[in-house]
Amino acid sequence: AQTVTQSQPEMSVQEAETVTLSCTYDTSESDYYLFWYKQPPSRQMILVIRQEAYKQQNATENRFSVNFQKAAKSFSLKISDSQLGDAAMYFCAYRWDTGNQFYFGTGTSLTVIP
Amino acid sequence: DAMVIQNPRYQVTQFGKPVTLSCSQTLNHNVMYWYQQKSSQAPKLLFHYYDKDFNNEADTPDNFQSRRPNTSFCFLDIRSPGLGDAAMYLCATKTGNNEKLFFGSGTQLSVL
């Protein structure tokens, strides 16, 4: 079974600073996708960034980047120049290559301090 | 503009009284999901459809069932809601060849 673990229930960051959210996962698959989703108070889930396991290069999307360590099964999210609008719950998610099921971690609540 | 629509936003039901939650999509995506999310917890996958093929997660209670009469609509039926079924229920979609997941805004279910 695939499991996704987020060990930081809560994190805080000063506005304009950088913060890193951690995620580890367990799988026996070699091909899969990893995602970070943001869930603001509205509860709408928003895709932040995704990473294909077969790609060694870390994905980046503007201020968001990941550190993907396949051997360690680690997938952390770095948010640079944090903004007040980044405050939300962040979920790490996994999907294996030939499946349709997405599995989520327990989330990290990020607070941005003005 | 809305792509994945869940109605109602809030649903109140009584203990043991069947309730149906609905989800519709304008994206023509062939995969649809139902997730249950309790407060401060991860969204938990209940089931998903690939076209008309239904896939149940092994630990989804028998109390939960789903219907997908066509591509656009998907329903979640809770036959006899218990207090423990109070949660946010999220519908999501994706296309078969794209890994991006589109979520609705959810239905918050209360059981009295």
Side-chain angles (χ1 to χ4, degrees):
Chain A
Q2 287 74 24
T3 58
V4 180
T5 302
Q6 293 178 248
S7 59
Q8 305 154 314
E10 297 177 347
M11 292 282 285
S12 62
V13 62
Q14 205 76 32
E15 193 175 4
E17 298 294 312
T18 296
V19 65
T20 299
L21 309 184
S22 300
C23 173
T24 58
Y25 58 95
D26 185 26
T27 183
S28 58
E29 303 290 331
S30 58
D31 294 323
Y32 50 87
Y33 295 89
L34 296 165
F35 307 85
W36 279 98
Y37 278 89
K38 171 184 176 181
Q39 188 183 47
S42 67
R43 303 296 290 269
Q44 173 66 279
M45 289 279 231
I46 303 164
L47 177 65
V48 174
I49 197 166
R50 64 178 182 263
Q51 173 81 43
E52 294 90 339
Y54 64 85
K55 289 187 177 179
Q56 291 186 337
Q57 186 174 6
N58 290 323
T60 61
E61 286 285 342
N62 301 315
R63 298 183 295 108
F64 298 88
S65 61
V66 299
N67 183 3
F68 174 49
Q69 301 290 329
K70 190 173 184 179
K73 296 181 181 176
S74 170
F75 181 62
S76 61
L77 173 70
K78 185 171 82 170
I79 306 174
S80 304
D81 185 25
S82 297
Q83 301 175 0
L84 295 178
D86 295 333
M89 183 72 83
Y90 285 81
F91 290 97
C92 179
Y94 165 99
R95 180 181 79 82
W96 76 83
D97 184 44
T98 56
N100 288 298
Q101 295 96 319
F102 286 73
Y103 297 96
F104 289 84
T106 50
T108 296
S109 178
L110 178 66
T111 300
V112 180
I113 303 165
Chain B
D1 219 15
M3 295 182 288
V4 183
I5 304 158
Q6 292 187 246
N7 286 309
R9 184 72 176 86
Y10 299 94
Q11 176 76 55
V12 180
T13 190
Q14 292 179 329
F15 183 93
K17 184 176 181 181
V19 65
T20 295
L21 308 183
S22 68
C23 176
S24 64
Q25 55 138 334
T26 60
L27 298 163
N28 204 34
H29 284 175
N30 55 347
V31 190
M32 292 188 78
Y33 305 82
W34 279 106
Y35 282 87
Q36 178 195 63
Q37 186 181 23
K38 297 185 178 180
S39 181
S40 303
Q41 296 184 20
K44 179 183 179 300
L45 180 62
L46 296 174
F47 13 63
H48 78 278
Y49 282 90
Y50 188 102
D51 293 323
K52 291 187 176 181
D53 292 335
F54 175 72
N55 297 272
N56 197 32
E57 291 297 296
D59 57 354
T60 297
D62 293 338
N63 198 26
F64 290 80
Q65 295 179 339
S66 183
R67 295 170 285 134
R68 189 180 185 187
N70 53 53
T71 300
S72 301
F73 287 88
C74 195
F75 300 98
L76 171 62
D77 301 310
I78 308 177
R79 287 190 296 182
S80 182
L83 298 179
D85 297 327
M88 173 71 81
Y89 289 87
L90 294 164
C91 174
T93 72
K94 81 173 191 73
T95 59
N97 58 356
N98 188 326
E99 74 278 10
K100 187 175 178 181
L101 205 59
F102 291 80
F103 279 87
S105 297
T107 294
Q108 182 68 51
L109 177 68
S110 299
V111 181
L112 304 180

